[in-house]
Amino acid sequence: MKRDSRKIDKQAADTQPAGDGLSAEAAFASYAAPLVDHAIECANAVREDASPEPLHRLRVSLRRLRSLWWAFEPLLDKGGNTRQRALYKYLATAAGKTRDWDILIELIAQDESIARKMTPTLLEARGGALAASRETLSNADVKQLLQEALTSASRELNTAHERVPLQKFVDKRVAVSERSLKKRMKRASRAKRSNYTAFHDVRKAGKKLRYLLEFFEPILSGSHKRIMKRLIQIQKRFGALNDIVASEMLLRDNMGLLAGSGDTDGALQWLRQERKRRMRAAAGLLRKL
């Protein structure tokens, strides 16, 4: 994952503008094109490789695209931008369905007695999800959708009458994202431990801000190393919590499918205990930050 992010960032850096005297409208394609190319590359890999990694890379790539479109939201048609971001979310969700089974399988494997009986059924369900993901992504024609989105947004921005200085624009958008994260962290720190939604909102806001810093760090005013360090901590701790919550929900939603495949009650009990432990860990991190 980290190697993949560095690869994307390096590709983007080769084409991204320095920022001096450049407008945000003119710079958009330099940020978007490498991300679109990478997402198309990942979508092609999914068709050829059934392992978890290509689907994970595709989902991450689509999330980065969604964050970039959010960053340029003030300069784009509101309705079109909303629809485009919804499309990225839809495609990412399609890729994520198989990834969710992979995570559940990895977690269940930590208890050998449960995994021995349950894993074959989980793998069968994972195969069905993979087939559905591939069909959805194939029917969607990811390459055409993403190329059309890039062309449409670039045309809209290139024909805009007004021009906004790039550095001023990205400074403002990153500041908006930072305020959003702080607001959600404050809300989560006061929330009850049963209120997972508040913790999930922190994770999403943190991920968006991290993507923006990765996009725009070379031209942002001031240093953001400290906040980036915090974001990495948030993503790791809150991501681990999300894995458990998503796996518990997936198992509960498929009890009928998994009936007779092993000790599902034991698996749910282990996941529930692990969720509580990871919730405490996430709350502890909030107190430190």
Side-chain angles (χ1 to χ4, degrees), residues 150-167:
L150 175 60
T151 299
S152 175
S154 298
R155 183 187 304 116
E156 181 181 350
L157 292 171
N158 288 333
T159 56
H161 297 297
E162 298 182 4
R163 288 289 184 268
V164 180
L166 177 60
Q167 184 174 15

Side-chain angles (χ1 to χ4, degrees), residues 105-113 115 244 270 274 278:
I105 291 169
E106 291 172 7
L107 289 170
I108 292 298
Q110 296 182 39
D111 189 316
E112 187 176 348
S113 62
I244 283 289
W270 182 85
E274 187 65 13
R278 296 190 186 191

Side-chain angles (χ1 to χ4, degrees), residues 10-286:
K10 184 179 185 303
Q11 291 172 339
D14 292 339
T15 56
Q16 284 175 6
D20 293 340
L22 192 65
S23 71
E25 290 84 355
F28 170 78
S30 297
Y31 290 105
L35 297 181
V36 167
D37 290 343
H38 186 264
I40 292 172
E41 178 185 324
C42 291
N44 291 336
V46 167
R47 292 198 297 268
E48 301 171 1
D49 187 349
S51 69
E53 195 58 28
L55 282 165
H56 181 53
R57 289 200 303 267
L58 176 59
R59 181 162 64 166
V60 171
S61 188
L62 289 164
R63 284 174 172 172
R64 289 169 66 91
L65 277 169
R66 192 163 181 251
S67 294
L68 185 68
W69 254 253
W70 176 88
F72 282 85
E73 182 179 33
L75 306 180
L76 293 166
D77 173 72
K78 184 176 181 180
N81 183 275
T82 299
R83 288 190 296 273
Q84 194 58 47
R85 291 177 61 222
L87 172 62
Y88 294 147
K89 183 177 182 179
Y90 167 76
L91 295 174
T93 299
K97 289 180 179 179
T98 305
R99 175 65 177 170
D100 290 343
W101 284 104
D102 288 327
I103 293 172
L104 175 58
I105 291 169
E106 291 172 7
L107 289 170
I108 292 298
Q110 296 182 39
D111 189 316
E112 187 176 348
S113 62
I114 295 177
R116 189 181 303 112
K117 293 182 179 180
M118 189 174 293
T119 298
T121 305
L122 294 177
L123 288 172
E124 184 177 350
R126 192 262 182 195
L130 175 62
S133 294
R134 282 176 159 171
E135 182 178 3
T136 298
L137 294 170
S138 177
N139 291 340
D141 194 351
V142 175
K143 180 178 180 179
Q144 182 177 345
L145 285 173
L146 297 188
Q147 288 179 338
E148 288 180 352
L150 175 60
T151 299
S152 175
S154 298
R155 183 187 304 116
E156 181 181 350
L157 292 171
N158 288 333
T159 56
H161 297 297
E162 298 182 4
R163 288 289 184 268
V164 180
L166 177 60
Q167 184 174 15
K168 179 180 179 181
F169 178 75
V170 298
D171 279 344
K172 184 175 181 180
R173 294 304 284 163
V174 167
V176 170
S177 186
E178 286 180 329
R179 288 195 297 271
S180 176
L181 174 59
K182 290 178 181 178
K183 180 179 179 181
R184 282 157 177 73
M185 289 175 65
K186 185 176 181 179
R187 184 183 301 159
S189 67
R190 297 176 177 177
K192 295 181 179 179
R193 294 290 171 82
S194 59
N195 185 3
Y196 170 68
T197 300
F199 286 78
H200 187 52
D201 287 343
V202 171
R203 175 176 171 266
K204 291 191 295 182
K207 185 171 292 186
K208 179 190 292 181
L209 177 56
R210 183 178 178 182
Y211 290 156
L212 297 189
L213 292 179
E214 289 174 350
F215 296 152
F216 305 128
E217 191 275 334
I219 63 169
L220 287 172
S221 301
S223 174
H224 290 77
K225 290 183 179 180
R226 186 176 180 182
I227 184 64
M228 179 61 84
K229 183 178 180 180
R230 290 180 175 179
L231 290 173
I232 292 172
Q233 291 177 303
I234 289 173
Q235 187 167 326
K236 182 178 180 180
R237 190 75 58 89
F238 283 69
L241 171 60
N242 181 71
D243 286 347
I244 283 289
V245 173
S247 294
E248 187 178 357
M249 290 177 59
L250 184 62
L251 188 55
R252 290 186 183 281
D253 291 344
N254 290 274
M255 291 295 285
L257 177 66
L258 300 173
S261 64
D263 187 5
T264 53
D265 289 338
L268 283 171
Q269 181 179 1
W270 182 85
L271 288 169
R272 184 164 53 251
Q273 292 173 345
E274 187 65 13
R275 168 169 50 83
K276 292 179 180 179
R277 186 185 71 80
R278 296 190 186 191
M279 187 76 84
R280 288 194 298 270
L285 178 61
L286 284 179

